[in-house]
Amino acid sequence: MESKNYLEDISEIKTMMSRSSRFISLSGLSGILAGIYALVGAALAYLKLNAGSYYYDAIPRSGYEKLEPSMITDLLSIALGVIVLALLTGIVLSMRKAKRSGEKIWDMTSKRLVLNFFIPLVAGGIFCLVLLQYGIVGLVASATLIFYGLACVNASKYTLGDVRYLGIANIVLGLIATQFIGYGIFFWALGFGVLHIVYGAVMHFKYDRKTV
């Protein structure tokens, strides 16, 4: 009996230590919705590019074509809209989950999570703008996938370990996409859309239902 209580105490201590060092209020539903936003964004970008002179059936003539400023503005607007919607959804649903489980939404751990996530993400965003500046359009999609994957891996040590696998999957997908110039939108939809939906569903059934 004492041995059982001793093991339960150890388990409880480990849980408390994990909660103090990792942000565990990420919402699986927010991942699903982020994936849906990404698929809608990819569809809008596909239609926009297909309507221009850059694509034949959504396949670019070259990976080194300069886009018109208006086209770049439209694509960046779509990407920004997806990012803002995904972030707002993630914040709202994570706050709701944290409130249900009695966790703090903004503490030292969540600050470290945000910092470690945005450092590779911002660096990748700037790098992608440079690619657009020099007309290296064909590598933009793969670069976004790789840097986003690095951001997930970098931030995973401050949250649930499943985020690491999402990051690795996006890195691998981004590297594969470098060998298929012209299919960037489809890889983008697969990485940010489908993978997020799968990841969000796994997170929801693995963690979220326990807090409902």
Side-chain angles (χ1 to χ4, degrees):
M1 186 69 178
E2 291 181 2
S3 176
K4 183 179 179 180
N5 291 335
Y6 179 70
L7 292 175
E8 288 179 352
D9 290 341
I10 292 178
S11 178
E12 200 170 311
I13 291 171
K14 288 175 66 177
T15 301
M16 290 174 63
M17 291 178 64
S18 177
R19 286 177 178 271
S20 64
S21 61
R22 291 175 178 266
F23 181 77
I24 59 174
S25 294
L26 290 179
S27 168
L29 181 58
S30 67
I32 296 173
L33 291 174
I36 293 173
Y37 300 152
L39 289 177
V40 172
L44 291 175
Y46 171 91
L47 293 173
K48 186 68 180 177
L49 287 167
N50 200 45
S53 59
Y54 305 97
Y55 279 64
Y56 290 123
D57 295 327
I59 306 303
R61 302 173 185 176
S62 167
Y64 297 88
E65 286 192 53
K66 283 195 174 183
L67 298 178
E68 296 175 1
S70 60
M71 180 69 75
I72 293 177
T73 300
D74 290 341
L75 294 178
L76 289 179
S77 298
I78 292 172
L80 184 61
V82 170
I83 292 171
V84 170
L85 280 174
L87 285 176
L88 288 177
T89 301
I91 291 171
V92 171
L93 293 181
S94 293
M95 287 179 65
R96 190 176 70 176
K97 182 179 176 181
K99 185 177 180 180
R100 286 201 306 263
S101 58
E103 300 291 332
K104 289 183 178 180
I105 188 67
W106 191 244
D107 55 15
M108 187 57 66
T109 302
S110 56
K111 290 177 183 177
R112 289 172 180 168
L113 169 64
V114 171
L115 179 63
N116 280 270
F117 180 75
F118 275 100
I119 288 175
L121 200 66
V122 172
I126 294 172
F127 180 73
C128 288
L129 290 177
V130 173
L131 290 179
L132 289 174
Q133 177 187 0
Y134 289 103
I136 311 176
V137 179
L139 290 177
V140 172
S142 56
T144 58
L145 287 167
I146 292 170
F147 278 99
Y148 176 72
L150 291 172
C152 289
V153 171
N154 198 44
S156 64
K157 56 183 174 287
Y158 296 107
T159 185
L160 300 170
D162 304 73
V163 175
R164 182 180 182 85
Y165 301 117
L166 175 66
I168 292 173
N170 273 283
I171 292 172
V172 172
L173 193 64
L175 291 172
I176 294 173
T178 62
Q179 302 304 304
F180 294 91
I181 301 296
Y183 294 86
I185 287 182
F186 304 109
F187 280 96
W188 203 89
L190 181 59
F192 291 108
V194 177
L195 285 183
H196 261 107
I197 292 173
V198 173
Y199 154 80
V202 171
M203 292 281 285
H204 177 73
F205 288 106
K206 190 174 180 180
Y207 301 106
D208 291 1
R209 293 201 302 178
K210 296 179 181 179
T211 61
V212 175

